[in-house]
mmCIF file of all heavy atoms in Angstrom:
data_model
loop_
_atom_site.group_PDB
_atom_site.id
_atom_site.type_symbol
_atom_site.label_atom_id
_atom_site.label_comp_id
_atom_site.label_asym_id
_atom_site.label_seq_id
_atom_site.Cartn_x
_atom_site.Cartn_y
_atom_site.Cartn_z
ATOM 1 N N VAL A 342 3.471 272.510 2.194
ATOM 2 C CA VAL A 342 2.146 272.899 2.686
ATOM 3 C C VAL A 342 1.449 273.812 1.677
ATOM 4 O O VAL A 342 2.093 274.395 0.814
ATOM 5 C CB VAL A 342 2.236 273.645 4.038
ATOM 6 C CG1 VAL A 342 2.809 272.760 5.121
ATOM 7 C CG2 VAL A 342 3.029 274.937 3.918
ATOM 8 N N HIS A 343 0.141 273.911 1.831
ATOM 9 C CA HIS A 343 -0.616 274.973 1.172
ATOM 10 C C HIS A 343 -0.521 276.170 2.114
ATOM 11 O O HIS A 343 -0.977 276.077 3.259
ATOM 12 C CB HIS A 343 -2.093 274.582 0.998
ATOM 13 C CG HIS A 343 -2.325 273.479 0.025
ATOM 14 N ND1 HIS A 343 -2.288 273.668 -1.332
ATOM 15 C CD2 HIS A 343 -2.604 272.165 0.221
ATOM 16 C CE1 HIS A 343 -2.540 272.527 -1.939
ATOM 17 N NE2 HIS A 343 -2.721 271.602 -1.018
ATOM 18 N N PRO A 344 0.108 277.288 1.706
ATOM 19 C CA PRO A 344 0.216 278.436 2.607
ATOM 20 C C PRO A 344 -1.135 278.831 3.203
ATOM 21 O O PRO A 344 -2.163 278.803 2.521
ATOM 22 C CB PRO A 344 0.776 279.542 1.712
ATOM 23 C CG PRO A 344 1.577 278.783 0.693
ATOM 24 C CD PRO A 344 0.759 277.539 0.420
ATOM 25 N N ARG A 345 -1.112 279.147 4.480
ATOM 26 C CA ARG A 345 -2.275 279.548 5.266
ATOM 27 C C ARG A 345 -3.339 278.445 5.330
ATOM 28 O O ARG A 345 -4.505 278.708 5.559
ATOM 29 C CB ARG A 345 -2.841 280.870 4.783
ATOM 30 C CG ARG A 345 -1.819 282.014 4.859
ATOM 31 C CD ARG A 345 -2.381 283.354 4.505
ATOM 32 N NE ARG A 345 -3.448 283.781 5.382
ATOM 33 C CZ ARG A 345 -3.291 284.351 6.578
ATOM 34 N NH1 ARG A 345 -2.082 284.571 7.050
ATOM 35 N NH2 ARG A 345 -4.335 284.724 7.291
ATOM 36 N N ASP A 346 -2.918 277.200 5.104
ATOM 37 C CA ASP A 346 -3.839 276.046 5.120
ATOM 38 C C ASP A 346 -4.990 276.213 4.138
ATOM 39 O O ASP A 346 -6.088 275.714 4.355
ATOM 40 C CB ASP A 346 -4.388 275.805 6.538
ATOM 41 C CG ASP A 346 -3.316 275.413 7.513
ATOM 42 O OD1 ASP A 346 -2.384 274.690 7.111
ATOM 43 O OD2 ASP A 346 -3.397 275.825 8.683
ATOM 44 N N ASP A 347 -4.728 276.914 3.056
ATOM 45 C CA ASP A 347 -5.741 277.188 2.039
ATOM 46 C C ASP A 347 -5.406 276.364 0.802
ATOM 47 O O ASP A 347 -4.424 276.645 0.095
ATOM 48 C CB ASP A 347 -5.744 278.683 1.721
ATOM 49 C CG ASP A 347 -6.794 279.089 0.699
ATOM 50 O OD1 ASP A 347 -7.359 278.212 0.011
ATOM 51 O OD2 ASP A 347 -7.035 280.307 0.583
ATOM 52 N N ALA A 348 -6.215 275.352 0.528
ATOM 53 C CA ALA A 348 -5.954 274.440 -0.587
ATOM 54 C C ALA A 348 -5.939 275.141 -1.939
ATOM 55 O O ALA A 348 -5.410 274.588 -2.916
ATOM 56 C CB ALA A 348 -6.988 273.310 -0.592
ATOM 57 N N SER A 349 -6.485 276.352 -2.024
ATOM 58 C CA SER A 349 -6.436 277.078 -3.299
ATOM 59 C C SER A 349 -5.052 277.691 -3.539
ATOM 60 O O SER A 349 -4.742 278.103 -4.650
ATOM 61 C CB SER A 349 -7.520 278.156 -3.356
ATOM 62 O OG SER A 349 -7.239 279.197 -2.449
ATOM 63 N N ASN A 350 -4.220 277.763 -2.509
ATOM 64 C CA ASN A 350 -2.838 278.225 -2.669
ATOM 65 C C ASN A 350 -1.970 277.054 -3.104
ATOM 66 O O ASN A 350 -2.086 275.957 -2.543
ATOM 67 C CB ASN A 350 -2.289 278.790 -1.346
ATOM 68 C CG ASN A 350 -2.916 280.106 -0.969
ATOM 69 O OD1 ASN A 350 -3.279 280.890 -1.822
ATOM 70 N ND2 ASN A 350 -3.057 280.339 0.321
ATOM 71 N N PRO A 351 -1.087 277.256 -4.086
ATOM 72 C CA PRO A 351 -0.225 276.154 -4.523
ATOM 73 C C PRO A 351 0.708 275.692 -3.395
ATOM 74 O O PRO A 351 1.120 276.487 -2.547
ATOM 75 C CB PRO A 351 0.580 276.731 -5.680
ATOM 76 C CG PRO A 351 0.262 278.171 -5.756
ATOM 77 C CD PRO A 351 -0.850 278.482 -4.817
ATOM 78 N N MET A 352 1.018 274.401 -3.400
ATOM 79 C CA MET A 352 1.933 273.836 -2.410
ATOM 80 C C MET A 352 3.282 274.535 -2.501
ATOM 81 O O MET A 352 3.736 274.885 -3.584
ATOM 82 C CB MET A 352 2.127 272.339 -2.647
ATOM 83 C CG MET A 352 0.904 271.498 -2.374
ATOM 84 S SD MET A 352 0.579 271.293 -0.628
ATOM 85 C CE MET A 352 1.688 269.970 -0.231
ATOM 86 N N ARG A 353 3.914 274.721 -1.332
ATOM 87 C CA ARG A 353 5.252 275.309 -1.246
ATOM 88 C C ARG A 353 6.065 274.536 -0.225
ATOM 89 O O ARG A 353 5.523 273.901 0.668
ATOM 90 C CB ARG A 353 5.173 276.746 -0.731
ATOM 91 C CG ARG A 353 4.706 277.740 -1.717
ATOM 92 C CD ARG A 353 4.998 279.121 -1.186
ATOM 93 N NE ARG A 353 4.355 280.108 -2.036
ATOM 94 C CZ ARG A 353 4.121 281.334 -1.665
ATOM 95 N NH1 ARG A 353 4.440 281.743 -0.464
ATOM 96 N NH2 ARG A 353 3.553 282.171 -2.490
ATOM 97 N N GLY A 354 7.361 274.690 -0.330
ATOM 98 C CA GLY A 354 8.230 274.147 0.705
ATOM 99 C C GLY A 354 7.960 274.870 2.012
ATOM 100 O O GLY A 354 7.763 276.088 2.043
ATOM 101 N N VAL A 355 7.927 274.121 3.100
ATOM 102 C CA VAL A 355 7.545 274.677 4.399
ATOM 103 C C VAL A 355 8.465 275.824 4.836
ATOM 104 O O VAL A 355 8.033 276.740 5.532
ATOM 105 C CB VAL A 355 7.478 273.555 5.463
ATOM 106 C CG1 VAL A 355 8.855 273.064 5.843
ATOM 107 C CG2 VAL A 355 6.716 274.014 6.679
ATOM 108 N N PHE A 356 9.725 275.810 4.391
ATOM 109 C CA PHE A 356 10.653 276.867 4.808
ATOM 110 C C PHE A 356 10.390 278.182 4.077
ATOM 111 O O PHE A 356 11.012 279.202 4.387
ATOM 112 C CB PHE A 356 12.105 276.422 4.613
ATOM 113 C CG PHE A 356 12.416 275.152 5.378
ATOM 114 C CD1 PHE A 356 12.954 274.061 4.720
ATOM 115 C CD2 PHE A 356 12.165 275.055 6.737
ATOM 116 C CE1 PHE A 356 13.240 272.897 5.412
ATOM 117 C CE2 PHE A 356 12.443 273.895 7.431
ATOM 118 C CZ PHE A 356 12.981 272.809 6.772
ATOM 119 N N ASN A 357 9.451 278.171 3.135
ATOM 120 C CA ASN A 357 9.035 279.376 2.440
ATOM 121 C C ASN A 357 7.661 279.837 2.937
ATOM 122 O O ASN A 357 6.951 280.555 2.252
ATOM 123 C CB ASN A 357 9.004 279.119 0.928
ATOM 124 C CG ASN A 357 8.858 280.391 0.125
ATOM 125 O OD1 ASN A 357 9.298 281.449 0.541
ATOM 126 N ND2 ASN A 357 8.212 280.294 -1.018
ATOM 127 N N THR A 358 7.284 279.375 4.128
ATOM 128 C CA THR A 358 5.990 279.731 4.712
ATOM 129 C C THR A 358 6.153 280.007 6.203
ATOM 130 O O THR A 358 7.215 279.773 6.768
ATOM 131 C CB THR A 358 4.960 278.581 4.554
ATOM 132 O OG1 THR A 358 5.271 277.545 5.481
ATOM 133 C CG2 THR A 358 4.911 278.056 3.134
ATOM 134 N N ARG A 359 5.063 280.438 6.812
ATOM 135 C CA ARG A 359 5.026 280.646 8.263
ATOM 136 C C ARG A 359 4.278 279.502 8.953
ATOM 137 O O ARG A 359 3.846 279.626 10.096
ATOM 138 C CB ARG A 359 4.328 281.975 8.571
ATOM 139 C CG ARG A 359 5.023 283.205 8.032
ATOM 140 C CD ARG A 359 6.063 283.710 8.946
ATOM 141 N NE ARG A 359 5.510 283.868 10.280
ATOM 142 C CZ ARG A 359 6.040 284.596 11.226
ATOM 143 N NH1 ARG A 359 7.129 285.261 10.992
ATOM 144 N NH2 ARG A 359 5.493 284.690 12.410
ATOM 145 N N SER A 360 4.133 278.380 8.282
ATOM 146 C CA SER A 360 3.417 277.243 8.845
ATOM 147 C C SER A 360 4.026 276.801 10.171
ATOM 148 O O SER A 360 5.245 276.763 10.337
ATOM 149 C CB SER A 360 3.448 276.071 7.861
ATOM 150 O OG SER A 360 2.865 274.924 8.450
ATOM 151 N N ALA A 361 3.167 276.433 11.106
ATOM 152 C CA ALA A 361 3.632 275.871 12.380
ATOM 153 C C ALA A 361 4.179 274.458 12.171
ATOM 154 O O ALA A 361 5.054 274.010 12.915
ATOM 155 C CB ALA A 361 2.488 275.842 13.387
ATOM 156 N N ASP A 362 3.642 273.750 11.199
ATOM 157 C CA ASP A 362 4.085 272.385 10.907
ATOM 158 C C ASP A 362 5.389 272.440 10.129
ATOM 159 O O ASP A 362 5.438 272.956 9.022
ATOM 160 C CB ASP A 362 3.002 271.640 10.113
ATOM 161 C CG ASP A 362 1.720 271.488 10.893
ATOM 162 O OD1 ASP A 362 1.798 271.275 12.125
ATOM 163 O OD2 ASP A 362 0.643 271.572 10.284
ATOM 164 N N ARG A 363 6.459 271.904 10.748
ATOM 165 C CA ARG A 363 7.798 271.950 10.153
ATOM 166 C C ARG A 363 8.722 271.090 10.997
ATOM 167 O O ARG A 363 8.391 270.764 12.128
ATOM 168 C CB ARG A 363 8.293 273.391 10.061
ATOM 169 C CG ARG A 363 8.276 274.128 11.351
ATOM 170 C CD ARG A 363 8.361 275.655 11.278
ATOM 171 N NE ARG A 363 9.182 276.215 10.255
ATOM 172 C CZ ARG A 363 8.716 276.907 9.198
ATOM 173 N NH1 ARG A 363 7.433 277.136 9.075
ATOM 174 N NH2 ARG A 363 9.530 277.391 8.297
ATOM 175 N N PRO A 364 9.898 270.716 10.468
ATOM 176 C CA PRO A 364 10.791 269.825 11.228
ATOM 177 C C PRO A 364 11.193 270.346 12.609
ATOM 178 O O PRO A 364 11.253 269.573 13.565
ATOM 179 C CB PRO A 364 12.005 269.685 10.308
ATOM 180 C CG PRO A 364 11.442 269.858 8.932
ATOM 181 C CD PRO A 364 10.378 270.921 9.090
ATOM 182 N N ASN A 365 11.492 271.618 12.728
ATOM 183 C CA ASN A 365 11.796 272.235 14.025
ATOM 184 C C ASN A 365 10.783 273.360 14.231
ATOM 185 O O ASN A 365 10.983 274.473 13.742
ATOM 186 C CB ASN A 365 13.229 272.770 14.075
ATOM 187 C CG ASN A 365 14.228 271.645 14.152
ATOM 188 O OD1 ASN A 365 14.108 270.747 14.973
ATOM 189 N ND2 ASN A 365 15.223 271.683 13.288
ATOM 190 N N PRO A 366 9.702 273.088 14.941
ATOM 191 C CA PRO A 366 8.584 274.034 15.013
ATOM 192 C C PRO A 366 8.828 275.197 15.973
ATOM 193 O O PRO A 366 8.238 275.302 17.040
ATOM 194 C CB PRO A 366 7.423 273.152 15.476
ATOM 195 C CG PRO A 366 8.079 272.094 16.297
ATOM 196 C CD PRO A 366 9.405 271.833 15.624
ATOM 197 N N ILE A 367 9.712 276.083 15.542
ATOM 198 C CA ILE A 367 10.016 277.277 16.323
ATOM 199 C C ILE A 367 9.073 278.387 15.875
ATOM 200 O O ILE A 367 9.002 278.712 14.690
ATOM 201 C CB ILE A 367 11.483 277.704 16.135
ATOM 202 C CG1 ILE A 367 12.408 276.595 16.633
ATOM 203 C CG2 ILE A 367 11.754 279.027 16.847
ATOM 204 C CD1 ILE A 367 13.856 276.778 16.236
ATOM 205 N N GLY A 368 8.340 278.936 16.832
ATOM 206 C CA GLY A 368 7.440 280.045 16.541
ATOM 207 C C GLY A 368 8.154 281.359 16.710
ATOM 208 O O GLY A 368 8.947 281.539 17.634
ATOM 209 N N LEU A 369 7.900 282.289 15.816
ATOM 210 C CA LEU A 369 8.498 283.625 15.841
ATOM 211 C C LEU A 369 7.351 284.620 15.864
ATOM 212 O O LEU A 369 6.550 284.670 14.934
ATOM 213 C CB LEU A 369 9.362 283.819 14.591
ATOM 214 C CG LEU A 369 10.047 285.150 14.403
ATOM 215 C CD1 LEU A 369 11.133 285.320 15.453
ATOM 216 C CD2 LEU A 369 10.651 285.215 13.009
ATOM 217 N N HIS A 370 7.258 285.406 16.942
ATOM 218 C CA HIS A 370 6.119 286.301 17.138
ATOM 219 C C HIS A 370 6.613 287.675 17.574
ATOM 220 O O HIS A 370 7.331 287.777 18.571
ATOM 221 C CB HIS A 370 5.194 285.773 18.248
ATOM 222 C CG HIS A 370 5.005 284.295 18.241
ATOM 223 N ND1 HIS A 370 3.975 283.662 17.579
ATOM 224 C CD2 HIS A 370 5.724 283.307 18.843
ATOM 225 C CE1 HIS A 370 4.059 282.347 17.782
ATOM 226 N NE2 HIS A 370 5.109 282.118 18.533
ATOM 227 N N GLN A 371 6.229 288.711 16.856
ATOM 228 C CA GLN A 371 6.504 290.068 17.323
ATOM 229 C C GLN A 371 5.287 290.510 18.118
ATOM 230 O O GLN A 371 4.181 290.596 17.578
ATOM 231 C CB GLN A 371 6.774 291.026 16.168
ATOM 232 C CG GLN A 371 7.165 292.406 16.667
ATOM 233 C CD GLN A 371 7.705 293.304 15.573
ATOM 234 O OE1 GLN A 371 8.184 292.839 14.541
ATOM 235 N NE2 GLN A 371 7.633 294.597 15.792
ATOM 236 N N VAL A 372 5.482 290.738 19.412
ATOM 237 C CA VAL A 372 4.379 291.090 20.294
ATOM 238 C C VAL A 372 4.678 292.402 21.015
ATOM 239 O O VAL A 372 5.831 292.809 21.129
ATOM 240 C CB VAL A 372 4.094 289.973 21.337
ATOM 241 C CG1 VAL A 372 3.722 288.668 20.643
ATOM 242 C CG2 VAL A 372 5.265 289.760 22.277
ATOM 243 N N GLN A 373 3.616 293.035 21.496
ATOM 244 C CA GLN A 373 3.774 294.243 22.302
ATOM 245 C C GLN A 373 3.388 293.915 23.734
ATOM 246 O O GLN A 373 2.352 293.289 23.985
ATOM 247 C CB GLN A 373 2.905 295.377 21.783
ATOM 248 C CG GLN A 373 3.110 296.652 22.596
ATOM 249 C CD GLN A 373 2.281 297.801 22.083
ATOM 250 O OE1 GLN A 373 1.134 297.633 21.703
ATOM 251 N NE2 GLN A 373 2.866 298.983 22.085
ATOM 252 N N ILE A 374 4.222 294.354 24.655
ATOM 253 C CA ILE A 374 3.948 294.131 26.072
ATOM 254 C C ILE A 374 2.951 295.183 26.540
ATOM 255 O O ILE A 374 3.175 296.381 26.375
ATOM 256 C CB ILE A 374 5.247 294.184 26.898
ATOM 257 C CG1 ILE A 374 6.190 293.076 26.414
ATOM 258 C CG2 ILE A 374 4.945 294.055 28.387
ATOM 259 C CD1 ILE A 374 7.593 293.171 26.934
#
Side-chain angles (χ1 to χ4, degrees):
V342 297
H343 292 283
R345 301 185 61 82
D346 295 324
D347 182 346
S349 69
N350 289 328
M352 292 285 278
R353 284 194 189 161
V355 72
F356 302 126
N357 192 30
T358 75
R359 297 274 309 198
S360 175
D362 297 323
R363 55 197 324 112
N365 288 310
I367 298 168
L369 179 68
H370 320 268
Q371 184 169 337
V372 300
Q373 182 179 40
I374 299 168

